[in-house]
Amino acid sequence: MQGKMTWESPSNIALVKYWGKYGDQLPQNPSLSMTLHKALTTTSIHYSNNYNQEEVKLSFLFDDQPNADFEKRLFHYLVRLTDRYPLISRLRLEVSSRNTFPHSSGIASSASAFSALALGLLSVIEEVSGEKRNTDSFFQEASNLARMGSGSASRSVYGGYVVWGKTDGFPKYSNSTAHPVTTAIHPVFQEMHDSILIVNAATKKVGSSAGHGLMNTNPFAKVRYQQAEQHVIEMHQVLTNGDLERFIQIVEQEALTLHALMMASQPGYLLLEGGTLAIIDRVKQFRNDTKIPLCFTLDAGPNVHLLYPASYKAEIDDLIKRELLLFCTSNHFLDDGIGHGPTKVTNQG
Ligand code: DP6
């Protein structure tokens, strides 16, 4: 048996950050993210089933080129999954992947990459085994498999606002899979924009996995995990009642806390750059002067995400071009916003 499966999955930006993990990729605190629209990974898996082999056979192309590092990471990931799905070891897989965003843009690609991969792999498993799940169970399992590749990828399996991790008062939320926020979202948060300012596109000095690891000895870890849970609970109310002021406070406190935790790690480290700080300063000044509800958030790197309701796009574009682009590498920024989640590509070309 052979065939091909293609999925396209977006990246996401965390409003409440996942930072700290334990066991098999389980989060120390719940996180809440907004799925993006344009920053996508498309992954095709050409598969065939070979009854005479005992170990999965894999080749991997990124942008049509071999990529040994990612192929190795993918191979180990597949071997780990054979405990759950023994049939994986009988598969021959040719995986090929590409991103819509530039490779060296500094955008975290593991979320969209592992989400697209997990969705594709689960589709292949269903096809080969002949055992199909219902839609809910399919996406829950895809989120679970994506998490095992990269924690934040568990959230990219869904569109809109997504929570991953046990949260007080929300019995359905769990550490193993993400869930979409299903409470009514206020209109102001239904069309959020995210302009991503690329301050430095180079690979991070300290990767996320090492950063998560340093939370195990961080003296502020316990209180941080409690704060994140409180923020996730409060963010549900904010997304429903449209309280932009509180949204801005939580989002910016989360961004700065993430980097404060890095600085307070043992050893401490710093991923913010001069351009990052200059942009943050100007964003605050602009909000003060104009009363436009613009805020910033940060990933584990120096690049800045500007979040704002779609109705202010013209004013923010003007601010970026006038005052912020000078802090961006090659005058680079990416225009994105809230998205609906992954899609299965049915035309296999
Ligand atoms: C700061 O999901 O990249 O972006 O699970 O080790 O792959 P691994 O880490 P990763 O961590 C993301 C951390 C973050 C915050 C977030 O997305 O919640």
Side-chain angles (χ1 to χ4, degrees), residues 14 18-19 21 25 110 150-152 155 208-209 212 258 299-300:
Y18 146 56
W19 200 239
K21 60 179 168 180
Q25 290 269 105
S110 68
S150 177
S152 52
R155 299 183 309 236
S208 283
S209 276
H212 287 291
L258 171 70
D299 258 337

Side-chain angles (χ1 to χ4, degrees), residues 74 101 117 126 162-163 165-166 202 212 222 243 256 334 336 342:
L74 182 51
F101 46 96
L117 187 67
E126 285 203 342
V162 184
V163 172
K166 276 193 296 180
H212 287 291
K222 196 164 164 226
D243 185 347
L256 295 177
L334 302 173
D336 211 329

Side-chain angles (χ1 to χ4, degrees), residues 7 100 166 235 298:
W7 278 84
T100 51
K166 276 193 296 180
M235 194 52 105
L298 305 161

Side-chain angles (χ1 to χ4, degrees), residues 156-168:
S156 271
V157 163
Y158 296 103
Y161 296 93
V162 184
V163 172
W164 169 44
K166 276 193 296 180
T167 310
D168 233 18

